[in-house]
Structure formats: C-alpha cells, structure tokens
Amino acid sequence: MENLVNRLEKKGWKNKEIINTVNIIRKAKHNKTQENLFLEKRIYWILLVIIIAANFAISVALIPILMALKGIFLYFIIITLGIAFGLLFELVIRSIEHLEKQHHQLLAVLIPLIALANAFVISNISNNLSLTLGFANAHNPASIAIVYAASFVLPYIVYRFVFKIEYYAKG
C-alpha cells in the first residue's frame, strides 16, 4: 500500500482521498471469497507452468522454420517470434496485480533460462532431423537459443529499464 500512497501523492491527490482509496482497497481485500484467495495464491504457479509449456510449444513450432530457413531470414523470424511472445508474457505478468518484487525477479530469471534451454534443445533436434532427411541446413544451437532468449526478454527490459515502469509492490 505504501507504493500506492506514494504514487497517488505524486499525482497530487489530497490526503483524505488517499486514505479513502486505501480503505476501500483494504476492505475489498478483506472481503474476498475463499475461492478467490485460493486462486490468487496459486495463479503465480499456474502462470509459470503455462509459460513454460508455451515456450516449449513455440520451440517445437520452430523446427520446420529451422529446417527450411537460414541466415538473416531465420534470425528475423526468431527475433519476431521472441519479441511477440515476450510482449505477451510481459502483458500477462503486468496484469497480475498481487505479484510482488520477488515474484517478478524469479520470473525475469527463470523464464529466459527456460526459453534459452528450449531453443537450444529444439535447435539440436532440428539439426539432427535435417541430417536424417538429407538437408544441409544445420545451425549453431547456441546462437539460435541466445537470439531467441534475448528477443524474448527484450520487452521486459524495455518496460522495466527504458520506460522505468515498476508495476509490482515494494517487497
């Protein structure tokens, strides 16, 4: 709540308005149903599993692209996919209001590592499949993984460090 109070003071709200707003929010939090509290406590972990699964699905979808393309076109597609799904991830994380700083820090480290590992494994699988089918289109798995993971975290970096948007409670 302290973060909210500070933001409202910076916007020029009067002390009485801030107190009323904080009281309304506290009352709303106090009156939540058991089902709502249950979901709030688990949404973070559910989201984490969904993001991991989505990253894996994106990586699997890259196999035909990795087999068919090379050079600048391949990296353009990988960067585009990474940024698009990174924006989606950023939007989802930003919309969960009750996440605190430690939640965001864990997600900011864990998700790019998972994206990096997925892209590396899928790139290796694509290379092996290409060789098996007789295509001469092998790629460096490390560079594919690094490009994808870097483009995936780019939206987070832009929101957090360029726009300096802090959407989590101080914790």
Side-chain angles (χ1 to χ4, degrees):
M1 287 294 173
E2 184 178 320
N3 191 20
L4 175 64
V5 170
N6 291 337
R7 287 185 305 186
L8 294 177
E9 285 175 347
K10 286 180 185 176
K11 290 183 178 184
W13 285 39
K14 296 177 182 166
N15 199 29
K16 184 178 179 182
E17 293 171 328
I18 294 172
I19 291 170
N20 286 338
T21 302
V22 169
N23 287 337
I24 290 169
I25 292 172
R26 283 192 179 133
K27 186 177 179 182
K29 286 183 178 183
H30 181 71
N31 291 333
K32 288 184 180 180
T33 64
Q34 288 291 11
E35 294 84 10
N36 194 351
L37 291 172
F38 177 82
L39 284 176
E40 272 190 8
K41 290 179 183 176
R42 282 145 188 88
I43 193 75
Y44 177 74
W45 297 107
I46 293 168
L47 174 67
L48 189 59
V49 169
I50 289 171
I51 290 172
I52 291 169
N55 259 322
F56 181 73
I58 294 164
S59 298
V60 170
L62 280 175
I63 290 176
I65 294 169
L66 288 169
M67 291 175 60
L69 298 176
K70 59 182 169 182
I72 192 93
F73 296 113
L74 173 66
Y75 287 102
F76 176 75
I77 297 293
I78 290 172
I79 290 169
T80 303
L81 285 172
I83 290 173
F85 287 105
L87 280 170
L88 181 63
F89 165 72
E90 176 65 24
L91 178 65
V92 169
I93 294 303
R94 212 173 342 124
S95 67
I96 300 176
E97 297 171 359
H98 71 279
L99 292 185
E100 295 180 3
K101 190 173 188 172
Q102 67 269 18
H103 294 123
H104 286 279
Q105 289 172 340
L106 178 64
L107 286 173
V109 172
L110 186 62
I111 297 303
L113 288 177
I114 291 169
L116 187 69
N118 278 341
F120 185 83
V121 168
I122 293 301
S123 184
N124 275 327
I125 290 171
S126 171
N127 285 344
N128 291 336
L129 191 56
S130 290
L131 290 174
T132 302
L133 295 174
F135 298 146
N137 198 14
H139 305 287
N140 181 349
S143 66
I144 297 291
I146 290 169
V147 167
Y148 177 74
S151 59
F152 185 81
V153 298
L154 186 62
Y156 174 80
I157 291 169
V158 168
Y159 272 98
R160 179 69 175 92
F161 299 107
V162 176
F163 296 151
K164 298 184 182 197
I165 297 173
E166 292 190 32
Y167 39 77
Y168 48 79
K170 301 283 184 200

